[in-house]
Structure formats: C-alpha cells, structure tokens
Amino acid sequence: MKGREPIAALTVYDYPMTRMLDGCGVPLLLVGDSLGMVVLGLPDTTGVTMDDMLHHTRAAARAQPNALLAADLPAGSCRTHADALANSRRLIEAGAEAVKAEGGLEIGEYVRAIVAEGIPFLGHLGMLPQRVKEEGGYKIKGRRPDERTMLIDDAAALADAGAFAIVLELVEPTVAGELTSALPIPTIGIGSGPDCDGQILVTPDLWATSPDFIPKHVQPNEQVKTEMESTIANWMNSIGKK
Ligand code: KIV
C-alpha cells in the first residue's frame, strides 16, 4: 500500500471490537498493549503481561478478521533472543498474524530471527511507551539532532532485519516525513504528523471512551461517548430507575 493509498490502522482488544472494525474495512488491526490503560485499568503499558496479551489476542482472533491482525510483545517479553522468539510464537499460536515490539538497533537480531521463522514483524520507534518510566513521560522524539540520527539508524536497522512496517509514535513530523521518504517499508504514524504512509490510533481515544487520558494528537468524537451514556440513562429510565 506504500505510495498507493493511506494505511489505516486501529487497536482492538476483543471479539466484538474486532468484528466491528474489520467490518469497517480497516486493513491493519493491532491488539496493542495500550490494553493496559484502556481495558485493564493500569497506569501505563509496563504492567501488561504475556498472559494478558494472549487472552486478548485469542478473543480478537476469534473474529477471524480479513484485516491483518498484529499483536504487541509486552514489556519484558523480549529480554533474551529465546524469549523474543518463544513469545512471538505464542502470540501467533493465539491467532495473531504478525507481532510488534518496541525498539531499534538493539532488537535487530531478534527481529531477524522472528522474521526467519516466517512471523511478520511490525517495528515501533519514537516514544516507546514501555520505557515511559525511564523517559519520565510521553515526549516527542526527533527534535534533537542526536535523536534524529538515532531514529534514522534504528529505522534502517529494522527495515534491514525484515520488518514489514514501522509505527512511529510521537516523532517530530519533519523527521517522520524524512523516514517515510527514505524507507522501503511503510511508516505508520501516531502523533507524528501527516507525512507517514499510514496512521494508527488507540480506538477508545477516537471514541472518547478512554477513561483517564486522551492524547493531544487525537480529535475524539465526544458524541460516541455521550450516545453510550445516554443509552444507559434512557434504559434506566425505561425500567423506572430514577
Ligand atoms: O499499544 C498500542 O496501542 C500501540 C499503538 C499506540 C501503536 O502500540
């Protein structure tokens, strides 16, 4: 799809959501570890476990989407080469058709091994939510020259290792545009400006139903949440509940 049409991607966490978004024709669905914040009530993604990811990947996969279904390798699941491979296999056994992990050069060898197993790999660069504690927050990457150089090297390493696309999260938009032009594989931006090959969002952010925080780069449709709330209020009224 690179250079031909924008790639729309959204997150899913369960069977009905996957059915609905697949029915809308979204070509790439991700069981993201944003699961932690938007479903499990955790403060960030660092507490999401392999078991959590497997449970929700199985549920999403039961929808048998036409979309490519990718799943996140959660924090701590790729500490060793063997873990990265074994956990990628487990996500595929659970029904994912591709895996995503955060990182660049430092995971290049894992990525090569995962791809050599026939498992499609989606990269993730820029702000890495699994490192939010070390980073001290969700900050834009690529403004400083050293960050820009690092992003270029990391993206080249992932493409060289066989990644089929790279998510760019909170990357300075001109740098995201540069990476998009330079790479042979698609970039999928989130808060990284319009010049990426595709865009991904955390779906409950778009629906305004994310409970605690909606990032600035999203224009949530508040009506979705309001409609859901009024449906509940109307139903309570209909049974005589004040
Ligand atoms: O976990 C997630 O939802 C993600 C997206 C933000 C790309 O990684």
mmCIF file of all heavy atoms in Angstrom, residues 21-62:
data_model
loop_
_atom_site.group_PDB
_atom_site.id
_atom_site.type_symbol
_atom_site.label_atom_id
_atom_site.label_comp_id
_atom_site.label_asym_id
_atom_site.label_seq_id
_atom_site.Cartn_x
_atom_site.Cartn_y
_atom_site.Cartn_z
ATOM 1 N N LEU A 21 -14.589 -3.345 13.687
ATOM 2 C CA LEU A 21 -13.577 -2.591 12.936
ATOM 3 C C LEU A 21 -13.194 -3.304 11.645
ATOM 4 O O LEU A 21 -12.925 -2.666 10.634
ATOM 5 C CB LEU A 21 -12.337 -2.330 13.804
ATOM 6 C CG LEU A 21 -12.414 -1.050 14.635
ATOM 7 C CD1 LEU A 21 -13.591 -1.005 15.566
ATOM 8 C CD2 LEU A 21 -11.118 -0.821 15.385
ATOM 9 N N ASP A 22 -13.226 -4.629 11.675
ATOM 10 C CA ASP A 22 -12.956 -5.373 10.446
ATOM 11 C C ASP A 22 -14.089 -5.123 9.452
ATOM 12 O O ASP A 22 -13.840 -4.933 8.257
ATOM 13 C CB ASP A 22 -12.809 -6.861 10.761
ATOM 14 C CG ASP A 22 -12.267 -7.627 9.568
ATOM 15 O OD1 ASP A 22 -11.254 -7.170 8.984
ATOM 16 O OD2 ASP A 22 -12.849 -8.657 9.199
ATOM 17 N N GLY A 23 -15.311 -5.083 9.956
ATOM 18 C CA GLY A 23 -16.468 -4.791 9.102
ATOM 19 C C GLY A 23 -16.374 -3.403 8.465
ATOM 20 O O GLY A 23 -16.937 -3.154 7.400
ATOM 21 N N CYS A 24 -15.656 -2.486 9.141
ATOM 22 C CA CYS A 24 -15.469 -1.131 8.582
ATOM 23 C C CYS A 24 -14.359 -1.112 7.532
ATOM 24 O O CYS A 24 -14.088 -0.074 6.923
ATOM 25 C CB CYS A 24 -15.101 -0.146 9.686
ATOM 26 S SG CYS A 24 -16.404 0.122 10.880
ATOM 27 N N GLY A 25 -13.676 -2.231 7.364
ATOM 28 C CA GLY A 25 -12.648 -2.305 6.321
ATOM 29 C C GLY A 25 -11.279 -1.792 6.736
ATOM 30 O O GLY A 25 -10.447 -1.494 5.874
ATOM 31 N N VAL A 26 -11.025 -1.681 8.044
ATOM 32 C CA VAL A 26 -9.688 -1.250 8.490
ATOM 33 C C VAL A 26 -8.694 -2.378 8.163
ATOM 34 O O VAL A 26 -8.892 -3.510 8.608
ATOM 35 C CB VAL A 26 -9.686 -0.973 10.018
ATOM 36 C CG1 VAL A 26 -8.319 -0.481 10.471
ATOM 37 C CG2 VAL A 26 -10.770 0.023 10.383
ATOM 38 N N PRO A 27 -7.642 -2.088 7.387
ATOM 39 C CA PRO A 27 -6.804 -3.194 6.908
ATOM 40 C C PRO A 27 -5.786 -3.741 7.908
ATOM 41 O O PRO A 27 -5.272 -4.840 7.725
ATOM 42 C CB PRO A 27 -6.075 -2.599 5.698
ATOM 43 C CG PRO A 27 -6.071 -1.132 5.935
ATOM 44 C CD PRO A 27 -7.299 -0.805 6.747
ATOM 45 N N LEU A 28 -5.479 -2.959 8.945
ATOM 46 C CA LEU A 28 -4.494 -3.427 9.938
ATOM 47 C C LEU A 28 -5.046 -3.190 11.334
ATOM 48 O O LEU A 28 -5.353 -2.050 11.713
ATOM 49 C CB LEU A 28 -3.156 -2.681 9.751
ATOM 50 C CG LEU A 28 -2.071 -2.916 10.802
ATOM 51 C CD1 LEU A 28 -1.705 -4.396 10.923
ATOM 52 C CD2 LEU A 28 -0.821 -2.109 10.473
ATOM 53 N N LEU A 29 -5.217 -4.271 12.068
ATOM 54 C CA LEU A 29 -5.727 -4.184 13.440
ATOM 55 C C LEU A 29 -4.637 -4.670 14.381
ATOM 56 O O LEU A 29 -3.985 -5.687 14.121
ATOM 57 C CB LEU A 29 -6.996 -5.041 13.586
ATOM 58 C CG LEU A 29 -8.185 -4.596 12.714
ATOM 59 C CD1 LEU A 29 -9.338 -5.596 12.818
ATOM 60 C CD2 LEU A 29 -8.670 -3.202 13.126
ATOM 61 N N LEU A 30 -4.459 -3.925 15.466
ATOM 62 C CA LEU A 30 -3.397 -4.256 16.423
ATOM 63 C C LEU A 30 -3.989 -4.511 17.793
ATOM 64 O O LEU A 30 -4.703 -3.658 18.334
ATOM 65 C CB LEU A 30 -2.410 -3.074 16.522
ATOM 66 C CG LEU A 30 -1.369 -3.164 17.653
ATOM 67 C CD1 LEU A 30 -0.316 -4.240 17.336
ATOM 68 C CD2 LEU A 30 -0.690 -1.821 17.897
ATOM 69 N N VAL A 31 -3.699 -5.697 18.343
ATOM 70 C CA VAL A 31 -4.002 -5.920 19.763
ATOM 71 C C VAL A 31 -2.835 -5.254 20.496
ATOM 72 O O VAL A 31 -1.750 -5.820 20.629
ATOM 73 C CB VAL A 31 -4.108 -7.421 20.116
ATOM 74 C CG1 VAL A 31 -4.552 -7.585 21.564
ATOM 75 C CG2 VAL A 31 -5.074 -8.135 19.174
ATOM 76 N N GLY A 32 -3.050 -3.998 20.842
ATOM 77 C CA GLY A 32 -1.958 -3.195 21.416
ATOM 78 C C GLY A 32 -1.857 -3.408 22.915
ATOM 79 O O GLY A 32 -2.847 -3.738 23.577
ATOM 80 N N ASP A 33 -0.654 -3.162 23.438
ATOM 81 C CA ASP A 33 -0.534 -3.260 24.899
ATOM 82 C C ASP A 33 -1.087 -1.996 25.575
ATOM 83 O O ASP A 33 -1.094 -1.897 26.806
ATOM 84 C CB ASP A 33 0.902 -3.599 25.338
ATOM 85 C CG ASP A 33 1.918 -2.569 24.905
ATOM 86 O OD1 ASP A 33 1.540 -1.579 24.241
ATOM 87 O OD2 ASP A 33 3.114 -2.755 25.237
ATOM 88 N N SER A 34 -1.625 -1.055 24.769
ATOM 89 C CA SER A 34 -2.431 0.039 25.325
ATOM 90 C C SER A 34 -3.627 -0.562 26.067
ATOM 91 O O SER A 34 -4.298 0.121 26.844
ATOM 92 C CB SER A 34 -2.914 0.981 24.212
ATOM 93 O OG SER A 34 -3.461 0.249 23.131
ATOM 94 N N LEU A 35 -3.881 -1.850 25.802
ATOM 95 C CA LEU A 35 -4.795 -2.676 26.592
ATOM 96 C C LEU A 35 -4.696 -2.324 28.081
ATOM 97 O O LEU A 35 -5.714 -2.242 28.787
ATOM 98 C CB LEU A 35 -4.363 -4.143 26.376
ATOM 99 C CG LEU A 35 -4.966 -5.228 27.234
ATOM 100 C CD1 LEU A 35 -6.395 -5.482 26.808
ATOM 101 C CD2 LEU A 35 -4.153 -6.509 27.112
ATOM 102 N N GLY A 36 -3.466 -2.143 28.548
ATOM 103 C CA GLY A 36 -3.237 -1.863 29.975
ATOM 104 C C GLY A 36 -4.056 -0.673 30.437
ATOM 105 O O GLY A 36 -4.744 -0.731 31.460
ATOM 106 N N MET A 37 -3.992 0.416 29.671
ATOM 107 C CA MET A 37 -4.676 1.643 30.107
ATOM 108 C C MET A 37 -6.152 1.658 29.739
ATOM 109 O O MET A 37 -6.968 2.138 30.508
ATOM 110 C CB MET A 37 -4.027 2.892 29.477
ATOM 111 C CG MET A 37 -2.652 3.196 30.014
ATOM 112 S SD MET A 37 -1.461 2.478 28.910
ATOM 113 C CE MET A 37 -1.191 3.802 27.784
ATOM 114 N N VAL A 38 -6.493 1.190 28.537
ATOM 115 C CA VAL A 38 -7.880 1.398 28.087
ATOM 116 C C VAL A 38 -8.823 0.261 28.449
ATOM 117 O O VAL A 38 -10.034 0.396 28.316
ATOM 118 C CB VAL A 38 -7.960 1.747 26.575
ATOM 119 C CG1 VAL A 38 -7.207 3.030 26.275
ATOM 120 C CG2 VAL A 38 -7.461 0.632 25.700
ATOM 121 N N VAL A 39 -8.265 -0.870 28.901
ATOM 122 C CA VAL A 39 -9.130 -2.003 29.276
ATOM 123 C C VAL A 39 -8.858 -2.476 30.704
ATOM 124 O O VAL A 39 -9.791 -2.760 31.449
ATOM 125 C CB VAL A 39 -8.948 -3.187 28.294
ATOM 126 C CG1 VAL A 39 -9.783 -4.394 28.712
ATOM 127 C CG2 VAL A 39 -9.305 -2.781 26.868
ATOM 128 N N LEU A 40 -7.577 -2.576 31.080
ATOM 129 C CA LEU A 40 -7.248 -3.236 32.351
ATOM 130 C C LEU A 40 -7.123 -2.287 33.547
ATOM 131 O O LEU A 40 -6.921 -2.742 34.672
ATOM 132 C CB LEU A 40 -5.945 -4.039 32.196
ATOM 133 C CG LEU A 40 -5.950 -5.124 31.103
ATOM 134 C CD1 LEU A 40 -4.602 -5.836 31.034
ATOM 135 C CD2 LEU A 40 -7.057 -6.146 31.346
ATOM 136 N N GLY A 41 -7.177 -0.966 33.285
ATOM 137 C CA GLY A 41 -7.108 -0.021 34.403
ATOM 138 C C GLY A 41 -5.720 0.152 34.985
ATOM 139 O O GLY A 41 -5.570 0.531 36.153
ATOM 140 N N LEU A 42 -4.703 -0.104 34.177
ATOM 141 C CA LEU A 42 -3.324 0.098 34.629
ATOM 142 C C LEU A 42 -2.868 1.519 34.259
ATOM 143 O O LEU A 42 -3.406 2.113 33.324
ATOM 144 C CB LEU A 42 -2.397 -0.933 33.964
ATOM 145 C CG LEU A 42 -2.664 -2.405 34.306
ATOM 146 C CD1 LEU A 42 -1.849 -3.330 33.403
ATOM 147 C CD2 LEU A 42 -2.344 -2.674 35.768
ATOM 148 N N PRO A 43 -1.854 2.045 34.967
ATOM 149 C CA PRO A 43 -1.446 3.428 34.675
ATOM 150 C C PRO A 43 -0.683 3.582 33.357
ATOM 151 O O PRO A 43 -0.633 4.663 32.784
ATOM 152 C CB PRO A 43 -0.533 3.779 35.860
ATOM 153 C CG PRO A 43 -0.092 2.483 36.439
ATOM 154 C CD PRO A 43 -1.180 1.486 36.152
ATOM 155 N N ASP A 44 -0.055 2.514 32.873
ATOM 156 C CA ASP A 44 0.700 2.566 31.617
ATOM 157 C C ASP A 44 0.841 1.142 31.097
ATOM 158 O O ASP A 44 0.248 0.209 31.658
ATOM 159 C CB ASP A 44 2.073 3.262 31.817
ATOM 160 C CG ASP A 44 2.876 2.645 32.938
ATOM 161 O OD1 ASP A 44 2.968 1.400 32.972
ATOM 162 O OD2 ASP A 44 3.391 3.379 33.798
ATOM 163 N N THR A 45 1.658 0.957 30.041
ATOM 164 C CA THR A 45 1.735 -0.377 29.433
ATOM 165 C C THR A 45 2.735 -1.304 30.131
ATOM 166 O O THR A 45 2.806 -2.485 29.780
ATOM 167 C CB THR A 45 2.141 -0.286 27.938
ATOM 168 O OG1 THR A 45 3.445 0.285 27.848
ATOM 169 C CG2 THR A 45 1.170 0.543 27.133
ATOM 170 N N THR A 46 3.469 -0.769 31.098
ATOM 171 C CA THR A 46 4.584 -1.563 31.631
ATOM 172 C C THR A 46 4.130 -2.779 32.447
ATOM 173 O O THR A 46 4.905 -3.712 32.633
ATOM 174 C CB THR A 46 5.545 -0.695 32.483
ATOM 175 O OG1 THR A 46 4.810 -0.192 33.610
ATOM 176 C CG2 THR A 46 6.119 0.470 31.693
ATOM 177 N N GLY A 47 2.891 -2.758 32.913
ATOM 178 C CA GLY A 47 2.409 -3.893 33.726
ATOM 179 C C GLY A 47 1.659 -4.948 32.917
ATOM 180 O O GLY A 47 1.167 -5.936 33.481
ATOM 181 N N VAL A 48 1.566 -4.758 31.605
ATOM 182 C CA VAL A 48 0.830 -5.732 30.777
ATOM 183 C C VAL A 48 1.694 -6.984 30.605
ATOM 184 O O VAL A 48 2.903 -6.889 30.342
ATOM 185 C CB VAL A 48 0.481 -5.112 29.393
ATOM 186 C CG1 VAL A 48 -0.179 -6.130 28.481
ATOM 187 C CG2 VAL A 48 -0.426 -3.900 29.580
ATOM 188 N N THR A 49 1.086 -8.150 30.771
ATOM 189 C CA THR A 49 1.851 -9.404 30.747
ATOM 190 C C THR A 49 1.600 -10.180 29.446
ATOM 191 O O THR A 49 0.658 -9.891 28.709
ATOM 192 C CB THR A 49 1.420 -10.315 31.918
ATOM 193 O OG1 THR A 49 0.038 -10.675 31.694
ATOM 194 C CG2 THR A 49 1.548 -9.617 33.262
ATOM 195 N N MET A 50 2.419 -11.195 29.230
ATOM 196 C CA MET A 50 2.192 -12.090 28.086
ATOM 197 C C MET A 50 0.819 -12.737 28.211
ATOM 198 O O MET A 50 0.106 -12.883 27.224
ATOM 199 C CB MET A 50 3.273 -13.177 28.040
ATOM 200 C CG MET A 50 4.389 -12.983 27.051
ATOM 201 S SD MET A 50 3.952 -12.409 25.400
ATOM 202 C CE MET A 50 3.343 -13.850 24.593
ATOM 203 N N ASP A 51 0.449 -13.145 29.432
ATOM 204 C CA ASP A 51 -0.867 -13.789 29.604
ATOM 205 C C ASP A 51 -2.000 -12.839 29.202
ATOM 206 O O ASP A 51 -2.969 -13.261 28.566
ATOM 207 C CB ASP A 51 -1.057 -14.263 31.048
ATOM 208 C CG ASP A 51 -0.298 -15.563 31.305
ATOM 209 O OD1 ASP A 51 0.138 -16.201 30.321
ATOM 210 O OD2 ASP A 51 -0.126 -15.928 32.484
ATOM 211 N N ASP A 52 -1.868 -11.560 29.585
ATOM 212 C CA ASP A 52 -2.883 -10.571 29.175
ATOM 213 C C ASP A 52 -2.958 -10.515 27.648
ATOM 214 O O ASP A 52 -4.043 -10.536 27.056
ATOM 215 C CB ASP A 52 -2.523 -9.155 29.664
ATOM 216 C CG ASP A 52 -2.530 -8.999 31.176
ATOM 217 O OD1 ASP A 52 -3.298 -9.715 31.831
ATOM 218 O OD2 ASP A 52 -1.771 -8.150 31.690
ATOM 219 N N MET A 53 -1.797 -10.425 27.023
ATOM 220 C CA MET A 53 -1.775 -10.280 25.551
ATOM 221 C C MET A 53 -2.348 -11.523 24.874
ATOM 222 O O MET A 53 -3.066 -11.422 23.883
ATOM 223 C CB MET A 53 -0.344 -10.012 25.050
ATOM 224 C CG MET A 53 0.213 -8.640 25.401
ATOM 225 S SD MET A 53 -0.852 -7.255 24.922
ATOM 226 C CE MET A 53 -1.040 -7.525 23.176
ATOM 227 N N LEU A 54 -2.038 -12.692 25.416
ATOM 228 C CA LEU A 54 -2.533 -13.932 24.801
ATOM 229 C C LEU A 54 -4.055 -14.010 24.914
ATOM 230 O O LEU A 54 -4.753 -14.353 23.958
ATOM 231 C CB LEU A 54 -1.882 -15.147 25.470
ATOM 232 C CG LEU A 54 -0.380 -15.309 25.174
ATOM 233 C CD1 LEU A 54 0.244 -16.357 26.100
ATOM 234 C CD2 LEU A 54 -0.140 -15.691 23.713
ATOM 235 N N HIS A 55 -4.562 -13.668 26.100
ATOM 236 C CA HIS A 55 -6.015 -13.720 26.354
ATOM 237 C C HIS A 55 -6.768 -12.822 25.354
ATOM 238 O O HIS A 55 -7.746 -13.241 24.731
ATOM 239 C CB HIS A 55 -6.245 -13.256 27.793
ATOM 240 C CG HIS A 55 -7.656 -13.267 28.244
ATOM 241 N ND1 HIS A 55 -8.345 -14.424 28.503
ATOM 242 C CD2 HIS A 55 -8.515 -12.251 28.495
ATOM 243 C CE1 HIS A 55 -9.570 -14.121 28.903
ATOM 244 N NE2 HIS A 55 -9.707 -12.815 28.896
ATOM 245 N N HIS A 56 -6.282 -11.587 25.196
ATOM 246 C CA HIS A 56 -6.986 -10.632 24.332
ATOM 247 C C HIS A 56 -6.728 -10.906 22.858
ATOM 248 O O HIS A 56 -7.597 -10.654 22.018
ATOM 249 C CB HIS A 56 -6.634 -9.200 24.748
ATOM 250 C CG HIS A 56 -7.280 -8.833 26.039
ATOM 251 N ND1 HIS A 56 -8.503 -8.212 26.108
ATOM 252 C CD2 HIS A 56 -6.903 -9.070 27.319
ATOM 253 C CE1 HIS A 56 -8.855 -8.062 27.374
ATOM 254 N NE2 HIS A 56 -7.890 -8.577 28.140
ATOM 255 N N THR A 57 -5.551 -11.440 22.537
ATOM 256 C CA THR A 57 -5.280 -11.801 21.132
ATOM 257 C C THR A 57 -6.207 -12.934 20.716
ATOM 258 O O THR A 57 -6.770 -12.930 19.614
ATOM 259 C CB THR A 57 -3.797 -12.200 20.957
ATOM 260 O OG1 THR A 57 -2.996 -11.065 21.309
ATOM 261 C CG2 THR A 57 -3.479 -12.615 19.532
ATOM 262 N N ARG A 58 -6.388 -13.925 21.607
ATOM 263 C CA ARG A 58 -7.303 -15.042 21.287
ATOM 264 C C ARG A 58 -8.708 -14.515 21.021
ATOM 265 O O ARG A 58 -9.368 -14.928 20.076
ATOM 266 C CB ARG A 58 -7.358 -16.043 22.446
ATOM 267 C CG ARG A 58 -6.176 -16.970 22.457
ATOM 268 C CD ARG A 58 -6.348 -18.073 23.514
ATOM 269 N NE ARG A 58 -5.038 -18.565 23.846
ATOM 270 C CZ ARG A 58 -4.391 -18.320 24.985
ATOM 271 N NH1 ARG A 58 -4.973 -17.640 25.957
ATOM 272 N NH2 ARG A 58 -3.181 -18.785 25.166
ATOM 273 N N ALA A 59 -9.156 -13.589 21.885
ATOM 274 C CA ALA A 59 -10.515 -13.048 21.720
ATOM 275 C C ALA A 59 -10.640 -12.318 20.381
ATOM 276 O O ALA A 59 -11.606 -12.525 19.635
ATOM 277 C CB ALA A 59 -10.835 -12.099 22.877
ATOM 278 N N ALA A 60 -9.658 -11.474 20.060
ATOM 279 C CA ALA A 60 -9.703 -10.718 18.791
ATOM 280 C C ALA A 60 -9.647 -11.679 17.609
ATOM 281 O O ALA A 60 -10.382 -11.524 16.623
ATOM 282 C CB ALA A 60 -8.545 -9.721 18.735
ATOM 283 N N ALA A 61 -8.802 -12.708 17.710
ATOM 284 C CA ALA A 61 -8.604 -13.632 16.580
ATOM 285 C C ALA A 61 -9.865 -14.445 16.298
ATOM 286 O O ALA A 61 -10.075 -14.880 15.162
ATOM 287 C CB ALA A 61 -7.425 -14.557 16.860
ATOM 288 N N ARG A 62 -10.702 -14.646 17.321
ATOM 289 C CA ARG A 62 -11.942 -15.409 17.095
ATOM 290 C C ARG A 62 -12.852 -14.710 16.079
ATOM 291 O O ARG A 62 -13.722 -15.337 15.495
ATOM 292 C CB ARG A 62 -12.691 -15.625 18.417
ATOM 293 C CG ARG A 62 -12.069 -16.736 19.216
ATOM 294 C CD ARG A 62 -12.831 -17.092 20.487
ATOM 295 N NE ARG A 62 -11.902 -17.806 21.341
ATOM 296 C CZ ARG A 62 -11.413 -17.366 22.495
ATOM 297 N NH1 ARG A 62 -11.820 -16.209 22.996
ATOM 298 N NH2 ARG A 62 -10.526 -18.072 23.161
#
